[in-house]
Amino acid sequence: MLSIVRTSRLLVYPTHSYVTRRLLATATRNTGFLVPVIDLAQFRGAAAQSERKRVAEKIVSAFKESGFIYLSGHGIPANPKHNRGYVTIGRERLDQTPDPAEIAALRAKAPDWKESMEIGRDWDAEWKNQWPQEADVPGFKRTMLDFYQTCHGLHVYIMRSIALGLDLEEDFFDKKIDEQYHNLRLLSYPPIKTSLLQGSGRARAGLHSDSRDL
């Protein structure tokens, strides 16, 4: 999961990590918990393998100690010029149950109060992207597909740094991620009354883990 949390930094974490509002909030206040900022440009532009190794070890060490890193120098523009397409408020539940009936009941009782636009591989025959009409949002499809590829390029760099930090060959993960099974998600959290979040199990996005590696 690559989450853009600031204009110049990305928050990155292995997807088995559980992300909560409380955890991220205490990260800035609790001196016992630190999310380091790592400049990926030092890895991407390193002239010597020893320099790449040094950055790679910092990344792996952070994942071991806190489970999270902030990346600067990542190359992702701050404002780039199901599950596919638009997902309305309450439609998604992030719980781990595979039972459709249980998921439907949870959605009715305590929906996640957000909406999203979900984009994957545009050549995928099974999970097809659902695009709005070009006349309605000119350039949206091309912009998002270009951004998808930019994010994939960053994914490759991060996985190469992890491989190097684990004392593996730098390209160890290349063939494991080259099919680009990514999910580009545009999220919106509309304003709502606080009372709607005070019921049992209700949240903007419930406690969850994500699939795949990052």
Side-chain angles (χ1 to χ4, degrees), residues 82-84 121-130 181:
H82 76 90
N83 284 6
R84 292 294 177 260
R121 309 184 308 167
D122 208 41
W123 60 88
D124 196 311
E126 181 177 2
W127 294 92
K128 295 182 179 180
N129 286 326
Q130 305 296 317
Y181 283 104

Side-chain angles (χ1 to χ4, degrees), residues 44-213:
R44 294 157 58 106
Q49 185 73 353
S50 59
E51 296 176 28
R52 296 166 70 84
K53 178 72 171 176
R54 179 177 56 81
V55 178
E57 288 176 343
K58 285 184 179 180
I59 290 174
V60 170
S61 176
F63 281 153
K64 289 178 178 178
E65 293 176 8
S66 69
F68 301 83
I69 59 174
Y70 282 115
L71 281 183
S72 63
H74 44 69
I76 299 291
N79 182 23
K81 289 203 172 208
H82 76 90
N83 284 6
R84 292 294 177 260
Y86 175 73
V87 181
T88 190
I89 295 173
R91 178 67 181 82
E92 182 185 40
R93 281 293 306 194
L94 297 176
D95 302 85
Q96 303 303 301
T97 175
D99 184 349
E102 186 176 354
I103 292 174
L106 286 168
R107 283 175 179 156
K109 178 183 177 182
D112 282 352
W113 289 92
K114 70 178 188 301
E115 54 187 346
S116 65
M117 176 72 186
E118 314 223 5
I119 301 165
R121 309 184 308 167
D122 208 41
W123 60 88
D124 196 311
E126 181 177 2
W127 294 92
K128 295 182 179 180
N129 286 326
Q130 305 296 317
W131 297 105
Q133 294 296 316
E134 178 68 17
D136 294 333
V137 277
F140 176 78
K141 178 179 179 179
R142 183 70 268 154
T143 299
M144 289 300 101
L145 289 179
D146 288 346
F147 187 55
Y148 187 93
Q149 290 301 319
T150 299
C151 290
H152 173 69
L154 175 59
H155 185 208
V156 171
Y157 271 113
I158 295 174
M159 295 308 295
R160 287 179 178 175
S161 71
I162 292 173
L164 201 57
L166 292 173
D167 294 322
L168 300 170
E169 293 295 327
E170 189 172 327
D171 61 356
F172 179 84
F173 293 110
D174 283 13
K175 291 298 182 182
K176 297 173 175 58
I177 61 175
D178 61 348
E179 294 188 22
Q180 302 185 32
Y181 283 104
H182 309 312
N183 192 37
L184 173 59
R185 172 178 289 181
L186 313 180
L187 290 171
S188 172
Y189 294 88
I192 61 173
K193 294 181 178 179
T194 303
S195 59
L196 293 175
L197 297 174
Q198 293 176 341
S200 175
R202 298 190 178 190
R204 284 293 200 174
L207 183 66
H208 66 282
S209 62
D210 296 296
S211 60
R212 307 190 180 97
D213 45 23

